[in-house]
Amino acid sequence: MDVQAQYDYRTVFISDLHVGWDKVSEDHLLSFLRRLKTRNLYLVGDVLEWFYRPSGTVSMSIKRFLEELLELSQRGTVIHWLSGNHDPATYKGPIQFDWLYNAIPEVRVKPHDRYTASDGRTYLIVHGDIYDYFTPKTIAWKQRLAEWLYPLYLRILDRSNRCGWIGAIQKRKNQDPLLAEHAKAFRNLMIELARLQNCDGVICGHIHVPESCTIGSMSYLNCGDWLEHRSYLVEAESGQIKLMSQGSNP
């Protein structure tokens, strides 16, 4: 039997999982990984959240997450791990990350990657936190308030079944002009980075705003996040890359 025939996707891209933050339940993520069938899985940064405890131990939520990744690897999925700004140990070299390499021997952490889809289009894959070096240092009061309320907002989402007035809050948030301006500036920079690398598009994360669009000949594909939107990108065998969210296949 052709083993590859069992896969639903050629490649899946997810970012901003923040596993170990303990602000939301990781059950939905673990369930997603158990049912996932893909040849490749790209973790596009901000995978783990401050995982080293003062005692030097790793949280149980991270251990469960790594167990699911190991199962995926053993089923034949190739795991690609990109570092993000909330993955501080990934910047410190393999010595500090030995525990991860021991848990999943096949994985290696990289700052960015280049990916060729089955239709021949090439993509720069990068978390996107380089954008932070180009943003103004002064932060509007609205941004400070939003950052302060974000953990509470996520807890409500996690426990509300995402319906009714929660949907109204999400819609109002997504229509905020400051957020829209921020997302546009981020999108433009990511596309320019991909163009400089002679790529046809970019796959990224970082700003927790899922989006799939084409600007000129360039594709902008943002995975979104797994805290609020539970969104991800999938590549079919045809090479088409689509933005999806939990609740659709798988």
Side-chain angles (χ1 to χ4, degrees):
M1 183 182 71
D2 182 3
V3 175
Q4 293 184 343
Q6 67 180 298
Y7 292 127
D8 294 335
Y9 301 115
R10 187 170 185 258
T11 305
V12 172
F13 308 85
I14 56 178
S15 74
D16 295 87
L17 299 100
H18 296 275
V19 176
W21 193 30
D22 298 329
K23 298 298 182 185
V24 294
S25 168
E26 280 101 9
D27 291 345
H28 50 272
L29 173 61
L30 299 181
S31 176
F32 172 83
L33 293 175
R34 289 187 195 108
R35 295 180 291 116
L36 186 60
K37 295 179 181 179
T38 180
R39 295 185 188 180
N40 303 282
L41 174 63
Y42 270 88
L43 305 172
V44 190
D46 281 7
V47 182
L48 306 180
E49 182 68 32
W50 306 117
F51 48 88
Y52 284 118
R53 304 283 181 91
S55 63
T57 61
V58 180
S59 70
M60 285 304 300
S61 59
I62 290 175
K63 289 181 180 179
R64 289 192 293 268
F65 170 69
L66 294 179
E67 287 171 0
E68 293 300 334
L69 289 187
L70 180 59
E71 287 286 334
L72 266 176
S73 178
Q74 291 174 342
R75 295 202 301 266
T77 295
V78 179
I79 298 172
H80 309 263
W81 189 308
L82 276 65
S83 58
N85 54 302
H86 283 251
D87 301 312
T90 64
Y91 297 115
K92 298 178 182 178
I95 295 176
Q96 286 80 2
F97 234 47
D98 275 351
W99 67 271
L100 173 60
Y101 297 149
N102 290 333
I104 314 174
E106 302 301 322
V107 76
R108 283 297 178 270
V109 179
K110 297 177 283 186
H112 56 80
D113 205 353
R114 184 185 181 97
Y115 181 77
T116 302
S118 62
D119 61 3
R121 288 179 63 83
T122 58
Y123 296 88
L124 171 66
I125 309 179
V126 61
H127 180 62
D129 49 305
I130 189 175
Y131 169 77
D132 297 343
Y133 294 96
F134 293 87
T135 55
K137 299 304 179 184
T138 56
I139 300 176
W141 68 267
K142 187 185 291 186
Q143 290 174 281
R144 293 189 183 278
L145 179 62
E147 289 176 1
W148 185 71
L149 291 175
Y150 195 58
L152 175 61
Y153 172 67
L154 291 176
R155 285 186 182 276
I156 293 173
L157 282 180
D158 193 49
R159 290 158 175 75
S160 68
N161 201 25
R162 300 170 182 256
C163 60
W165 59 277
I166 294 297
I169 293 176
Q170 284 187 297
K171 184 177 180 181
R172 179 68 177 269
K173 171 179 172 288
N174 293 335
Q175 291 176 342
D176 182 83
L178 185 62
L179 177 62
E181 181 182 347
H182 174 58
K184 181 180 179 180
F186 179 84
R187 182 191 313 120
N188 290 341
L189 178 61
M190 293 299 106
I191 288 175
E192 184 60 25
L193 288 177
R195 184 178 286 112
L196 290 172
Q197 295 296 319
N198 295 316
C199 292
D200 300 302
V202 61
I203 295 172
C204 54
H206 188 50
I207 61 171
H208 295 205
V209 180
E211 187 176 0
S212 173
C213 67
T214 301
I215 300 178
S217 61
M218 302 291 290
S219 297
Y220 172 76
L221 300 163
N222 195 307
C223 304
D225 70 286
W226 208 263
L227 297 177
E228 179 181 353
H229 299 95
R230 300 180 190 174
S231 54
Y232 54 99
L233 297 165
V234 299
E235 181 199 2
E237 291 297 332
S238 64
Q240 181 185 16
I241 300 179
K242 297 191 301 181
L243 179 64
M244 303 181 73
S245 63
Q246 194 181 46
S248 54
N249 288 332

